[in-house]
Amino acid sequence: MNNTDLLSIAERFGSPVYVYDAEKIASQYARLTSAFAAVPHLRINYAMKALSNLSVLRLMHKLGSGLDTVSIQEVQLGLRAGFAPEQIIFTPNGVSMDEIEQAAALGVQLNIDNLSFLEQFGSKHPEVPVCIRINPHVMAGGNSKISVGHIDSKFGISIHQIPHILRIVENTKMHINGIHMHTGSDILDIDVFLYAAEILFEAAQHFKDLRFIDFGSGFKVPYKQGDIQTDIEELGQRLGQRFLEFCDTYGRELTLAFEPGKFLVSEAGYFLVKVNVVKQTTSTVFAGVDTGFNHLIRPMFYGATHFIENLSNPEGKKRFYSVVGYICETDTFASNRQIAEITEGDILCFHNAGAYCYTMASNYNSRLRPAEVLWTGSEAKLIRRAETFEDLVRGQIEVDI
């Protein structure tokens, strides 16, 4: 996609608007599968919490992906998008046993991350294959909110509780067909990831009927020009070779599984906004735009950086701006950022807006959520219309007071 394409989308569909490049998604998928081409049995389960639009899910299905889901609603969306139950893994945290039972009834692969539910489910359904999520107690990830494999994390069963897991499996005679970990997001140090993988390999030796080992994901993508990222090719070469060695030791060819979300869709996404006002104060020049953290919460929630480009004046002289939203509290997207000179009415583009942007959007301040557009080939296709006021009040019940 180029700036002209993006500007035409903003003109046609209005702003703000989310845009996703199907070709970039496909190229990221191909890059990941190519990195692990030496592994005979590879399964990519797209972590749909990153971006769950049905059209994007259908694209993933077409590419050959499975799905990683974390709620029964995501399971239902995956089934509606055309995924077979066996192509979906359900990896919830802190949900009710009722929700796990619902997922089991739909026939998807279960991934259980606590001893209590492992015993309850195994006692009731010993014939249903279950994957176990292990917490390797390895600190990884670019932010405390997305580091999920450390010792104080709520996720997974501690690697030190393997004896408890084995006792439950022996007593219930349940079928364990997979073992899983996810250390966190924005992983840079491949050695740390491989260290955690060794812990998982060691744990896997205790289970004699495995069909797959799932290493989660968390691969870092670049958020700005010159930014560092996970070297997928090096990871593929090193982990792929070690995985094949483990399979030889284990005595069976297993499937190597990953659950990438951000890696597949982040760089494919653009968020287009219009500048409402340029406001100079005693110390700052603000560019106030027609959106806020109700549509893009990552900078405020994670301290995330999104490269911002002025599509209306890309060759303009660089000036320093603080880009802020219209929410009635501080919602700063960028502070004193150099951007080509901005005037009111310009269209700005936030890059890396494919992951955890629309899916974390809200109606805060009673604002409406924007449209989503998929760019495929050379055509812009509306895949979710912008909300209306009627959408805002739908579901509310007005009672006499």
Side-chain angles (χ1 to χ4, degrees):
M1 297 189 69
N2 57 42
N3 287 5
T4 302
D5 298 325
L6 292 169
L7 282 170
S8 68
I9 289 172
E11 182 177 356
R12 177 180 169 189
F13 297 102
S15 68
V17 60
Y18 303 92
V19 185
Y20 314 121
D21 185 347
E23 184 177 336
K24 180 62 176 179
I25 293 173
S27 69
Q28 287 293 96
Y29 188 87
R31 182 184 170 200
L32 184 56
T33 54
S34 295
F36 287 88
V39 178
H41 305 288
L42 177 70
R43 185 166 72 217
I44 305 300
N45 293 320
Y46 168 58
M48 64 174 287
K49 61 182 176 289
L51 175 58
S52 56
N53 187 286
L54 282 169
S55 294
V56 173
L57 298 185
R58 291 191 178 102
L59 172 61
M60 293 297 182
H61 185 265
K62 183 179 179 180
L63 293 173
S65 176
L67 276 188
D68 168 52
T69 62
V70 297
S71 71
I72 193 64
Q73 291 80 13
E74 286 192 346
V75 171
Q76 292 165 337
L77 282 170
L79 294 172
R80 175 172 285 199
F83 289 87
E86 59 269 22
Q87 294 176 303
I88 300 174
I89 187 169
F90 181 53
T91 307
N93 176 263
V95 304
S96 67
M97 177 56 74
D98 179 64
E99 189 165 335
I100 291 175
E101 294 269 11
Q102 290 180 58
L106 291 172
V108 303
Q109 171 70 57
L110 299 180
N111 191 10
I112 295 180
D113 84 331
N114 68 81
L115 291 171
S116 173
F117 279 13
L118 187 67
E119 183 169 359
Q120 291 179 55
F121 190 84
S123 298
K124 191 174 181 180
H125 305 286
E127 76 289 352
V128 176
V130 168
C131 177
I132 296 175
R133 179 172 184 172
I134 298 294
N135 183 339
H137 298 325
V138 173
M139 187 68 178
N143 183 289
S144 62
K145 295 183 176 69
I146 53 177
S147 296
V148 297
H150 55 86
I151 195 166
D152 290 325
S153 173
K154 69 173 183 173
F155 298 95
I157 301 173
S158 169
I159 189 65
H160 302 304
Q161 293 178 309
I162 289 289
H164 297 296
I165 297 173
L166 296 176
R167 176 180 56 82
I168 291 170
V169 172
E170 174 61 28
N171 289 342
T172 63
K173 302 297 188 284
M174 66 189 303
H175 179 200
I176 305 303
N177 69 340
I179 192 167
H180 166 278
M181 74 169 186
H182 179 59
T183 56
S185 295
D186 281 1
I187 293 169
L188 291 177
D189 193 334
I190 290 176
D191 287 327
V192 172
F193 191 92
L194 292 173
Y195 171 72
E198 289 299 329
I199 294 173
L200 200 61
F201 286 139
E202 183 177 345
Q205 296 281 14
H206 295 285
F207 304 94
K208 302 307 179 184
D209 198 26
L210 295 179
R211 292 294 181 267
F212 67 93
I213 299 180
D214 191 328
F215 294 92
S217 181
F219 312 133
K220 188 183 185 312
V221 298
Y223 288 103
K224 53 190 175 182
Q225 294 174 339
D227 199 7
I228 51 179
Q229 58 184 299
T230 304
D231 188 333
I232 292 296
E233 288 70 28
E234 180 185 353
L235 179 65
Q237 191 276 323
R238 295 176 64 186
L239 179 58
Q241 180 180 344
R242 180 65 186 93
F243 181 79
L244 294 178
E245 292 170 358
F246 174 80
C247 289
D248 286 341
T249 302
Y250 190 76
R252 176 189 299 147
E253 284 192 350
L254 301 175
T255 294
L256 188 158
F258 287 111
E259 298 162 358
K262 185 189 302 180
F263 179 82
L264 294 178
V265 298
S266 179
E267 293 174 275
Y270 305 88
F271 187 46
L272 310 182
V273 305
K274 185 176 71 174
V275 177
N276 284 335
V277 63
V278 177
K279 178 180 180 179
Q280 183 154 354
T281 67
T282 53
S283 60
T284 303
V285 179
F286 291 103
V289 298
D290 63 347
T291 187
F293 70 67
N294 54 322
H295 298 153
L296 183 59
I297 198 172
R298 298 186 72 257
M300 280 60 76
F301 191 49
Y302 295 126
T305 297
H306 288 261
F307 175 65
I308 302 174
E309 183 178 10
N310 186 353
L311 299 182
S312 301
N313 184 29
E315 303 302 323
K317 181 180 178 180
K318 295 292 183 76
R319 297 189 60 192
F320 287 93
Y321 297 92
S322 289
V323 181
V324 296
Y326 60 11
I327 290 298
C328 193
E329 57 184 270
T330 300
D331 59 344
T332 302
F333 295 110
S335 296
N336 291 317
R337 183 86 61 84
Q338 270 196 313
I339 302 171
E341 188 167 11
I342 296 172
T343 58
E344 293 168 5
D346 282 354
I347 299 296
L348 305 186
C349 175
F350 291 78
H351 289 247
N352 279 92
Y356 304 102
C357 294
Y358 188 93
T359 54
M360 298 181 79
S362 74
N363 291 123
Y364 186 50
N365 280 192
S366 296
R367 294 290 186 177
L368 307 177
R369 282 175 291 195
E372 292 179 290
V373 172
L374 184 66
W375 179 263
T376 174
S378 58
E379 184 180 359
K381 298 180 179 180
L382 184 67
I383 58 174
R384 191 192 305 263
R385 62 170 174 77
E387 288 183 332
T388 66
F389 181 75
E390 291 307 313
D391 294 317
L392 188 66
V393 298
R394 183 175 291 113
Q396 296 192 43
I397 300 172
E398 299 183 66
V399 300
D400 294 331
I401 302 299

